[in-house]
Every structure is written in C-alpha cells, then in structure tokens.
C-alpha cells in the first residue's frame, strides 16, 4: 500500500444524492475493507485501520469517530495566535481550524518541515474536503493625544466572514499535520493560512516512498526488547518484526493487545515490584513466536515534597517511602545531601526573600526512586519591628510598624481574627468603648507568611460624657449620664482641672451674675480615661431688677422706671 491514501468526496450539488453516495462509500470502505486504502486486509483484528506507515511503525485507526495514531488520541483541531504591541499600536491575530473523520480525503506519512512547526521527522498529513474555520484580527491605533480606536474583523483571507465551513474546492489545500509520535496537530497547510498565502513562512512535506510489504507468513520474532521503568509505569520498545502488523505484550503472564507500533506504555504498576515482559508480532495469518523475556523492577515510589517556610529557614517534609531506608536531598542544584531514614530536613540560616529549590530521592538496599518533582520556595520576610498602638478613641485603635524588606503585605491579627493589610498602618474601627484588644502582625510575600510579632494590647477609651448645664445668678450646675467603667470624673472649669468627682454632677458656685464660664468633662478609672467633652460655654443669669416704680400715668399709658 502506498504511504498516501485517497478518499474522494463530492461537492454539494444535490443534498440527497450526495448523502446517499457518502453512505454507500462509507459502507463500502468500512464494511468491506475497513480502511482508507485497504490496510485492514493486513490486520488481525476488526479495528478500523485508516492508514499506516510502510513499516507499520505508525498506524492510524478510527474508533467511534475518533482518530488514534498507534494508541495516542488525535484531536483534529489547531489554533495559532500572534500578537504585536508597540506605543500607540496593537495587533493580534487568532486562527482556529477543526476537522472531522468523515470529511477526511487523503492521508500521507512522511517528513514535514515548516517555519512554524520546525522539522517533524514522523508526520502525518491529513487532507479534508471540509473544515470549520474561525478567524479574528484585532488592531488598535492611537495618534498623539487622540483617543485610540479598535478595529475588529472576522473576515478570512478569502474575504468571507467567519466562523464558517470551508470546502476544499475553495482552497488549494485543507490539511492538518500531525506529529505521529505524540498525536498532536502541529500545523495547518492551506492558502487559507495567512502565513502561507502571503509567503511569510514556508513549509515542505516529503512523502515516504516505500510501500507496505505483502503478508506472506506469520511475523518473525521481535528483537531488542527493552524497557525503562518508573515507580508506576514501564515504557517498552523493541525492534520491528518482519511481517508484523500489530503486536501483543505479555506482562507477568497476562496477554494484552494487540497494539500498533513498536512501543507500549504499561501504566498503573506497583512500585518496587518485579515484572516480566514478552512481545510477539501479529498479522492476518496469525501470531509469531514470543521474544526473549525482559525482566525489570519498578522503582521505589517517587517522594512528594512539601516545604514550610518560616523566618530564616525552610523545613522540607515528605511521607516515608515504603521499603526506603535512606534519602538524598538536593538543594539549589548542588551535591545531594545524604540523609538517613527521616521524613524532614531543616534548611536554616537563610536570607529573607531568597529562593531555594529542593528535590529528593529515596533508596533501599536494592532499589531507588526517581527524583521527586522539584519544589521552589521563597523564604519569608523577617518579622516586623516597631509594632505599636499610636492612638486610641472610644471606638478605634490605630496601629503602626516599620516596613519589612521584601514584604508584599502584612497580616494583622485582632483577637484571633486575621486582616490583610498592604501598608504600615492600620486603623481598627467599630470597637467597644473601654475594652481591651490584643494584636499581632506578621509580614508575608509569595513564599508565605513570616513569623508573628510579640502580641500587644490596647484599650479603647471610655465613652465620652455628654454634659448639660443649668444656670442661676450665682451658680452653674453640670450634669451628665454616668459612664460605664468610670470611678470618677474630672471637670475643667475655666481652664482649671478639678478631680475626684465621683458623681455625674458638678456645681460651680459663688459666681457673679451675667458672667460667662467654660467647662469640659472626662471620665476616669485606674487605667483608662475618656476623651474630654467639647468645651461648653454657659452664662449665669443677670442680677434682679431693683427700684421699679411708676414714673407717669395718662389716660392711655403708664411709664415705668428702675
């Protein structure tokens, strides 16, 4: 069979006719041959072989509308993004394409090279009669101080609005390129692709020229079976056996497959466990002989690290690995440190805001693990200094502290509740008068929070009295509601503070009539005070009128004097 196969699709002239023809073609291809190009004639199972490389190292199959190359799924979608930004100008382009198995027309294996994808030694080029296409271009322009403007277009290089279906008679080619080793779509070849339409980039595809050999005997014995093990998987590889189309793998006596290709990943294995493998070829005439067995022991379970950052140190922790009796810890890519049968290590004397990396390997007397995933940890900032209460009112306490180098923020703890703060001051409002509150602070950065400061306490002021006054000619009386928690009061009278007042009343006596006096009051106990009230001015009543007498009397008025 040639490396490139063809399935021709008709254009949409008559819907019913075309639908009928496609159904018949589908039944013919899959019912009689099961393949694009007839590869199923060489297969030992009923899997739908679409095409294969000449040596059967790569086999394209279809199951329930989904493609696979060997055992790897292929998602028939591709997208490419491009953006450019400069002062006053921005440009972005996004193109996405998707195809489906029923719209495939040609399949070819070979080597693909493009400016975008680089060189793909083992590539599959899949042509389509129709693809779904979406295209977006966004441009932003601004000149001087004028307001910038966006220009957004969904029109493709042919001048049509997208998203839309594109037929192969509209374009010179509609092809997706697949990396046969990974199953990933790596490029879109078409003059619908603006990079190839405008010759800004180039591509080339060299088809394999060899043909599939005829099947005349059962497969020969595979050779050079080898495997690389992790703690939970074994990746097998072997040399291709002549006349083999597929392969079966025996794992500890259990036969799996058949599979395509000359490699197989056995997963969900148990760590530190012995496994024996054999492989044999399969074709339409039967199965070949088993290869020589290959025995391996999976590695110890790979450790999983966590790092706890504290001030000036990082503590590396892990769960004990079964069968392990010692560990090696590599710090910052240096020479591994030998550790005993422990599950933590303290990396101390570290500079604040420095980054360190850690990876761990477990060992037993006869085995070892892979290195763990490397964990990167930023050391946390040093603790905050100068933490203090700067002001207190009846419902607010104000805090301040010195900035900590490298800190991106702070946590303030108020009676067990943590509040995130970005600056070096904080006002806690809505508090209860004459109540004690406890505070701590810690700096933090991307590595985590640092150490807590020493706790400090602050007490809100008592409630401020509200005074009322009542005046006579010779005295002024001040009264106010009793303040909770107060044991006495101070009254400032015309600038002189009088203390030791135990009741919420004060009488200012021996005053002259018609004189102005100023007062303010605050509540006091043994360890707290309230704020002073606002100054209140009060004037005594004027003297009584004396010498009142009738001066003159007429038939219409009486005149008084005093």
């Amino acid at each position: 069979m040639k490396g490139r196969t063809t399935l021709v699709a008709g254009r949409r002239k008559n819907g019913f006719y075309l639908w009928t023809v496609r159904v018949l073609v589908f039944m013919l291809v899959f019912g009689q041959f099961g393949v694009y190009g007839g590869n199923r004639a060489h297969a030992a199972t009923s899997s739908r072989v679409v095409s294969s490389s000449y040596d059967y190292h790569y086999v394209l199959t279809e199951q329930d509308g989904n493609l696979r190359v060997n055992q790897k799924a292929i998602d028939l979608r591709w997208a490419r993004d491009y953006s450019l930004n400069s002062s006053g100008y921005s440009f972005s382009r996004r193109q996405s394409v998707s195809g489906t198995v029923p719209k495939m027309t040609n399949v070819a294996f070979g080597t693909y090279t493009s400016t975008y994808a680089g060189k793909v030694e083992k590539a599959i080029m899949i042509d389509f009669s129709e693809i779904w296409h979406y295209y977006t271009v966004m441009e932003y322009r601004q000149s001087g101080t004028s307001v910038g403007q966006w220009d957004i277009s969904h029109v493709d290089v042919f001048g049509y609005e997208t998203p839309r279906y594109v037929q192969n008679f509209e374009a010179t080619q509609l092809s997706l390129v697949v990396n046969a080793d990974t199953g990933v779509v790596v490029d879109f070849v078409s003059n619908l692709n603006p990079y190839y339409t405008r010759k800004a980039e180039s591509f080339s595809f060299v088809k394999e020229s060899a043909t599939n050999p005829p099947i005349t005997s059962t497969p020969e014995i595979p050779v050079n079976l080898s495997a690389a093990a992790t703690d939970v998987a074994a990746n097998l590889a072997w040399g291709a056996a002549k006349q083999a189309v597929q392969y079966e793998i025996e794992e500890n006596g259990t036969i799996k497959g058949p599979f395509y290709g000359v490699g197989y990943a056995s997963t969900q294995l148990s760590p530190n466990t012995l496994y024996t493998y054999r492989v044999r070829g399969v074709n339409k005439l039967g199965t070949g002989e088993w290869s020589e067995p290959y025995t391996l022991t999976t590695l110890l379970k790979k450790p999983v690290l966590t790092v706890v950052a504290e001030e000036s140190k990082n503590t590396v922790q892990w769960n004990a690995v079964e069968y392990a009796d010692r560990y090696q810890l590599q710090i910052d890519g240096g020479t591994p440190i030998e550790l005993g049968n422990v599950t933590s290590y303290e990396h101390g004397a570290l500079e604040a805001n420095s980054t360190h990396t850690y990876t761990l390997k477990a060992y037993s007397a006869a085995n070892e693990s892979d290195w763990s995933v490397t964990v990167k940890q930023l050391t946390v900032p040093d603790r905050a200094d100068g933490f203090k209460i700067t002001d207190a009112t009846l419902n607010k306490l104000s805090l301040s502290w010195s900035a900590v180098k490298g800190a991106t923020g702070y946590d303030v703890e108020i009676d067990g509740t943590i509040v995130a703060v970005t600056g070096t001051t904080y006002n806690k409002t809505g508090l209860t008068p004459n109540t004690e509150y406890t505070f701590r602070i810690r700096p933090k950065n991307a590595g985590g929070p640092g150490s807590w400061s020493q706790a400090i306490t602050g007490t809100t002021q008592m409630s401020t009295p509200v005074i009322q006054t009542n005046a006579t000619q010779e005295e002024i009386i001040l009264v106010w509601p009793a303040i909770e928690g107060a044991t006495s009061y101070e009254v400032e009278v015309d600038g002189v503070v009088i203390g030791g007042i135990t009741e919420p009343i004060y009488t200012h006596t021996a005053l002259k009539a018609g004189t102005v006096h100023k007062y303010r009051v605050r509540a006091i106990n043994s360890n707290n005070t309230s704020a002073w009230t606002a100054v209140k001015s009060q004037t005594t009543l004027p003297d009584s009128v004396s010498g009142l007498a009738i001066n003159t009397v007429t038939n219409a008025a009486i005149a008084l004097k005093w």
Side-chain angles (χ1 to χ4, degrees):
M1 186 186 74
K2 295 288 184 182
R4 186 180 181 93
T5 58
T6 302
L7 176 66
V8 178
R11 297 184 180 182
R12 295 181 174 178
K13 293 183 178 179
N14 183 288
F16 178 77
Y17 172 78
L18 182 59
W19 179 83
T20 303
V21 170
R22 284 180 174 173
V23 170
L24 291 174
V25 170
F26 183 85
M27 293 174 62
L28 177 65
V29 172
F30 284 113
Q32 182 176 351
F33 300 105
V35 296
Y36 294 99
N39 272 6
R40 188 176 167 190
H42 295 166
T45 70
S46 60
S47 62
R48 296 173 178 174
V49 177
V50 176
S51 187
S52 71
S53 60
Y54 77 93
D55 53 8
Y56 298 107
H57 283 194
Y58 301 96
V59 180
L60 195 66
T61 59
E62 183 270 334
Q63 183 69 40
D64 298 326
N66 299 311
L67 281 185
R68 291 179 178 271
V69 53
N70 294 349
Q71 283 64 249
K72 298 179 179 68
I74 300 174
D75 185 358
L76 292 173
R77 290 183 292 183
W78 175 86
R80 182 174 178 182
D81 293 288
Y82 172 80
S83 62
L84 172 67
N85 289 286
S86 61
S87 178
Y89 180 76
S90 177
F91 176 86
S92 65
R93 177 194 291 122
R94 177 173 175 81
Q95 183 177 31
S96 59
V97 171
S98 61
T100 59
V101 171
K103 302 298 182 181
M104 292 168 47
T105 58
N106 299 293
V107 175
F109 288 78
T111 299
Y112 180 77
T113 304
S114 75
T115 307
Y116 176 64
K119 188 172 185 178
V120 183
E121 292 283 358
K122 305 297 182 181
I124 309 171
M125 183 170 285
I126 303 174
D127 299 340
F128 295 87
S129 63
E130 178 184 87
I131 55 95
W132 176 253
H133 182 224
Y134 187 68
Y135 188 81
T136 299
V137 170
M138 299 176 63
E139 280 189 284
Y140 174 82
R141 290 183 174 87
Q142 183 182 27
S143 177
T145 59
S146 62
V147 178
Q149 184 174 356
W150 280 101
D151 182 17
I152 302 174
S153 171
H154 301 293
V155 176
D156 64 22
V157 296
F158 293 165
Y160 293 102
E161 187 78 18
T162 66
R164 72 183 185 102
Y165 286 105
V166 182
Q167 311 295 319
N168 61 352
F169 58 80
E170 300 179 63
T172 56
Q173 191 174 355
L174 297 174
S175 303
L176 293 177
V177 180
V178 179
N179 185 322
D181 287 313
T182 64
V184 175
V185 176
V186 295
D187 208 351
F188 173 55
V189 177
S190 173
N191 60 340
L192 195 62
N193 186 328
Y195 300 96
Y196 299 142
T197 300
R198 297 162 188 163
K199 308 298 183 183
E201 297 179 0
S202 61
F203 71 90
S204 66
F205 181 68
V206 180
K207 263 193 315 185
E208 61 179 22
S209 56
T211 59
N212 299 113
I215 301 300
T216 59
S217 65
T218 57
E220 294 186 7
I221 300 174
V223 295
N224 300 325
L225 175 61
S226 62
T230 68
D231 54 345
V232 293
N235 295 300
L236 307 175
W238 56 88
K242 290 183 179 180
Q243 298 285 290
V245 176
Q246 296 172 288
Y247 296 88
E248 290 180 336
I249 291 93
E250 183 187 71
E251 180 181 80
N252 283 0
T254 299
I255 297 176
K256 300 180 178 182
F259 302 108
Y260 295 103
V262 290
Y264 172 73
S266 183
T267 59
Q268 297 182 336
L269 304 183
S270 298
N272 199 46
T273 302
L274 185 69
Y275 290 89
T276 300
Y277 294 93
R278 296 191 300 175
V279 61
R280 66 182 176 186
V282 180
N283 64 23
K284 68 176 183 178
L285 298 180
T287 57
E289 296 295 323
W290 288 108
S291 69
E292 290 294 319
Y294 186 93
T295 300
L296 61 84
T297 300
T298 51
L299 301 181
L300 298 178
K301 185 176 181 179
K302 184 163 67 174
V304 177
L305 297 185
T306 59
V307 181
V308 178
E310 300 175 74
E311 185 178 356
S312 74
K313 69 178 181 180
N314 290 331
T315 301
V316 187
Q317 300 172 332
W318 59 92
N319 291 329
V321 174
E322 189 177 13
Y323 309 112
D325 53 24
R326 65 185 179 91
Y327 300 89
Q328 282 187 349
L329 177 66
Q330 186 182 52
I331 301 175
D332 296 336
T335 302
I337 301 170
E338 290 288 345
L339 304 177
N341 197 6
V342 296
T343 56
S344 66
Y345 177 81
E346 186 175 291
H347 187 202
L350 303 180
E351 182 180 349
N353 307 299
S354 58
T355 300
H356 302 276
T357 59
Y358 305 91
T359 182
L360 186 79
K361 178 182 280 195
Y363 289 89
S364 68
N367 204 354
E368 62 185 50
S369 73
D370 279 329
W371 287 100
S372 71
V373 174
T374 298
V375 176
K376 181 185 290 187
Q377 182 63 50
L378 176 68
T379 55
V380 298
D382 292 335
R383 72 183 64 200
D385 292 327
F387 185 46
K388 61 185 177 181
I389 296 172
T390 57
D391 187 34
T393 68
L394 61 92
N395 57 12
K396 181 186 74 174
L397 290 171
S398 298
L399 309 170
S400 72
W401 56 92
S402 300
V404 177
K405 182 181 178 181
T408 56
Y410 302 87
D411 287 333
V412 176
E413 184 186 73
I414 308 160
D415 289 344
T417 300
I418 296 177
V419 178
V421 180
T422 55
T424 57
T425 60
Y426 178 70
N427 295 318
K428 177 60 180 174
T429 58
L431 303 180
T432 303
N434 195 38
T435 303
E436 185 177 88
Y437 294 88
T438 302
F439 301 90
R440 297 192 299 172
I441 188 172
R442 64 183 180 185
K444 59 186 179 181
N445 61 14
S451 299
W452 287 108
S453 68
Q454 291 294 322
I456 61 174
T457 59
T459 303
T460 51
Q461 292 182 317
M462 287 184 288
S463 296
T464 305
V466 178
I467 57 177
Q468 294 181 343
T469 57
N470 186 29
T472 67
Q473 292 173 339
E474 297 179 348
E475 65 182 17
I476 296 174
I477 301 172
L478 283 70
V479 294
W480 57 88
I483 300 301
E484 183 178 356
T487 58
S488 66
Y489 302 90
E490 288 182 341
V491 179
E492 185 182 87
V493 181
D494 294 334
V496 178
V497 176
I498 301 170
I501 301 170
T502 58
E503 297 298 326
I505 186 171
Y506 174 77
T507 302
H508 191 192
T509 60
L511 303 178
K512 291 182 179 181
T515 57
V516 178
H517 301 275
K518 295 181 178 181
Y519 307 93
R520 60 178 185 162
V521 178
R522 69 178 178 181
I524 295 176
N525 64 25
S526 59
N527 58 12
N528 201 0
T529 64
S530 75
W532 286 103
T533 64
V535 174
K536 187 174 181 66
S537 296
Q538 180 64 54
T539 304
T540 54
L541 297 180
D543 280 341
S544 300
V545 175
S546 61
L548 179 63
I550 295 174
N551 189 21
T552 60
V553 177
T554 69
N555 62 341
I558 298 174
L560 303 175
K561 67 176 181 178
W562 60 87

